[in-house]
Amino acid sequence: SVKFVKFYFMAKYNVFKQISEVLDYTTGELKRIETLSFKKKEYDYFMKFYYENIIEQKRFPSETEIQLLSLLISKMKFATIDIYINTSLVKELADKMDVTTRTIYNCIDSLIKKDFIYNPFQHKYLLNPNYVFNGPEDDRSKALNLIVEIYSELKKKEENL
């Protein structure tokens, strides 16, 4: 028997398909077709800390702050840096961490002071991709540029007032 294997990726359904045709070696007759399909994972949830940058800047998050960062990233879209933090999310985070909402707000304030989080707009926060990110390096570079652009625009607006 001879086995011919073909691979297909059906982007519309986010599915890989492997089709194997098994032929009789002597007659060339198709004996059977084997099909294997599996769904491609969109992404893995992970959080990468850039410790070299953290150590260089002497900005060390506490255990509670790391836990909060992890939960915030789990709420974010993959390879993005923005998240809206409102009262209901703070309550949810406090419940998951088994702390008070005041502790969550204190952690957020501390993370802002340590530059792990930026708060350029009301309720919209940005994670600093220089210290922590949840996506590929190319997207991290774009996120770093986005931070620079946002703060350049905000600075221009302040100067024009």
Side-chain angles (χ1 to χ4, degrees):
S1 294
V2 177
K3 190 177 200 177
F4 293 97
V5 180
K6 300 175 189 170
F7 291 97
Y8 299 94
F9 177 65
M10 299 171 3
K12 181 178 178 181
Y13 303 104
N14 204 23
V15 170
F16 284 102
K17 197 168 213 167
Q18 173 187 325
I19 300 174
S20 304
E21 296 175 345
V22 181
L23 303 176
D24 184 302
Y25 184 73
T26 54
T27 65
E29 180 184 357
L30 180 62
K31 286 179 145 183
R32 68 182 181 277
I33 297 177
E34 301 166 352
T35 304
L36 174 67
S37 298
F38 52 97
K39 191 164 177 97
K40 179 185 169 204
K41 287 174 73 174
E42 284 194 37
Y43 53 84
D44 288 322
Y45 286 97
F46 66 91
M47 179 170 67
K48 185 173 182 182
F49 277 91
Y50 295 87
Y51 287 106
E52 186 176 294
N53 297 345
I54 293 168
I55 291 168
E56 185 179 296
Q57 298 297 319
K58 294 183 173 65
R59 293 187 162 91
F60 304 103
S62 70
E63 189 176 319
T64 308
E65 291 167 349
I66 290 172
Q67 188 179 2
L68 178 62
L69 283 169
S70 300
L71 288 173
L72 288 174
I73 283 183
S74 73
K75 296 282 182 193
M76 296 168 63
K77 289 182 183 172
F78 182 69
T80 61
I81 58 171
D82 58 320
I83 185 165
Y84 289 90
I85 301 176
N86 55 28
T87 335
S88 64
L89 179 59
V90 169
K91 286 178 185 172
E92 180 185 332
L93 296 169
D95 288 343
K96 282 187 179 181
M97 292 174 61
D98 197 26
V99 296
T100 65
T101 56
R102 176 78 328 236
T103 301
I104 298 296
Y105 285 118
N106 288 343
C107 279
I108 290 170
D109 289 343
S110 176
L111 288 168
I112 289 171
K113 287 176 187 160
K114 293 176 182 177
D115 289 333
F116 276 85
I117 296 176
Y118 298 119
N119 182 220
F121 314 105
Q122 187 176 7
H123 298 293
K124 183 175 182 177
Y125 293 79
L126 306 173
L127 262 62
N128 185 345
N130 196 40
Y131 298 133
V132 61
F133 193 65
N134 73 330
E137 283 298 315
D138 290 348
D139 290 335
R140 179 175 174 249
S141 297
K142 292 174 191 170
L144 285 164
N145 289 333
L146 178 66
I147 295 268
V148 170
E149 286 175 29
I150 288 171
Y151 276 91
S152 294
E153 286 298 315
L154 289 173
K155 190 172 182 177
K156 285 179 190 175
K157 287 180 182 178
E158 285 176 8
E159 289 171 357
N160 291 335
L161 292 178

